[in-house]
Amino acid sequence: RRVRASDREPAGGETSVRASGDGRLRVLFVCLGNICRSPMAEAATRAALVENGLDDRVELDSAGIGDWHIGSAPDSRMRDAARQVGINLTGTARQVLADELERWDLILAMDRSNYTQLRAMARGDDVRERIRMFREFDPLDGDAVPDPYYGDADGFAEVAAICRSAAGGLVAVLSEQVRSRT
């Protein structure tokens, strides 16, 4: 089942978002190269967390499946689209490693290919259960965040809007998880 911002349980009716030992929730966003979709999803979620006063309770990061762009800034077209929706997109691309997946409470894939690759990397069912699609949290529905890399400015604007929407739904769910722990 899909999560709506008004829902009070996690996406898919699966397990709750578990908190790490220090009580903070840790969320990783993953796309192909970590220069468009996943940094935008991270930044949009960070902005929503700040708006809800939860930025000190949730740790965010993003990474890519591939290593092509390691050390690069987000794509300039994505930075422009982010600015258009009031988000400052920063950071440098990195590659997700199988060894790190266990440390994340929620791992959010931008598309089905990323999802499949992450699940193949995961060591154990407990980690696989934490891998979800980012758009599961989007109140506007949808399955994947489209990859705008080979398109025009409209594609980047669409990704920015999708990420803002899904981030709002995600933060609603995370907020419930954080509040239930206090």
Side-chain angles (χ1 to χ4, degrees), residues 159-179:
V159 167
I162 288 169
C163 288
R164 291 282 292 189
S165 177
L170 173 61
V171 169
V173 171
L174 294 177
S175 174
E176 289 296 322
Q177 294 292 320
V178 166
R179 285 180 173 75

Side-chain angles (χ1 to χ4, degrees), residues 122-139:
R123 298 180 180 145
D125 290 339
D126 62 321
V127 176
R128 277 184 209 88
E129 289 175 4
R130 291 183 249 146
I131 299 169
R132 312 276 271 286
M133 294 288 291
F134 181 49
R135 289 212 59 195
E136 285 181 29
F137 299 92
D138 190 349

Side-chain angles (χ1 to χ4, degrees), residues 94-166:
R94 71 180 191 85
Q95 184 177 21
V96 66
L97 303 173
D99 292 347
E100 78 175 279
L101 293 179
E102 291 180 20
R103 80 176 290 270
W104 297 101
D105 303 312
L106 188 58
I107 304 155
L108 297 173
M110 297 298 115
D111 64 34
R112 289 284 163 192
S113 177
N114 306 149
Y115 176 84
T116 300
Q117 290 173 311
L118 285 165
R119 288 184 56 86
M121 290 171 63
R123 298 180 180 145
D125 290 339
D126 62 321
V127 176
R128 277 184 209 88
E129 289 175 4
R130 291 183 249 146
I131 299 169
R132 312 276 271 286
M133 294 288 291
F134 181 49
R135 289 212 59 195
E136 285 181 29
F137 299 92
D138 190 349
L140 300 178
D141 290 329
D143 179 52
V145 179
D147 190 345
Y149 189 75
Y150 291 105
D152 60 17
D154 290 344
F156 289 89
E158 177 187 13
V159 167
I162 288 169
C163 288
R164 291 282 292 189
S165 177

Side-chain angles (χ1 to χ4, degrees), residues 30-49:
V30 180
C31 69
L32 189 59
N34 193 217
I35 59 168
C36 298
R37 298 172 292 168
S38 59
M40 182 64 212
E42 176 190 356
T45 302
R46 181 167 283 109
L49 287 167

